[in-house]
Amino acid sequence: MNRWASRKLFKYGCVLCDLNNLKYYNDNYGYEIGDEYIIPAAKILIEVFAKVGTCYRIGGDVFIIVFENFDLENIDEYFNNVEGMQKNIIKNHLL
């Protein structure tokens, strides 16, 4: 086991998030529709990670979340929250 695998609490860390299909929406439906896709996604990331990190858009459909003193044991819980919120937005948008 390497030394990183045995550590659970890191001083700093980051996660890259790449949204899928933004280029498709921009190319086929225009940037206004692309914005309707990316803005709610950004809001989800900001809301879910607000207590543990800062979310930045670094280009196109790529975001980075920077953590300080973050316990990696909880990372799955945060991404489950992202997925749940995403499903709710899609459900509400399609109804």
Side-chain angles (χ1 to χ4, degrees):
M1 177 185 298
N2 70 38
R3 67 187 179 122
W4 298 111
S6 64
R7 269 182 86 175
K8 294 192 178 14
L9 183 66
F10 290 87
K11 179 69 176 164
Y12 296 99
C14 67
V15 173
L16 286 174
C17 299
D18 185 333
L19 305 178
N20 293 327
N21 301 319
L22 179 64
K23 181 172 175 15
Y24 171 82
Y25 287 110
N26 284 340
D27 289 350
N28 292 291
Y29 303 106
Y31 288 103
E32 287 181 18
I33 298 299
D35 287 349
E36 288 181 26
Y37 171 77
I38 203 164
I39 291 170
K43 288 180 180 179
I44 289 171
L45 293 173
I46 291 167
E47 183 177 335
V48 168
F49 292 101
K51 292 182 181 178
V52 294
T54 306
C55 182
Y56 302 95
R57 183 177 178 198
I58 59 174
D61 62 350
V62 180
F63 292 83
I64 187 169
I65 301 144
V66 179
F67 304 103
E68 185 173 354
N69 298 321
F70 185 70
D71 186 349
L72 284 178
E73 240 177 55
N74 299 322
I75 195 75
D76 288 338
E77 178 184 332
Y78 288 99
F79 282 104
N80 288 337
N81 289 340
V82 169
E83 289 176 3
M85 292 176 76
Q86 176 188 17
K87 288 176 184 174
N88 284 337
I89 286 178
I90 290 169
K91 179 182 172 185
N92 292 334
H93 187 69
L94 295 176
L95 294 177

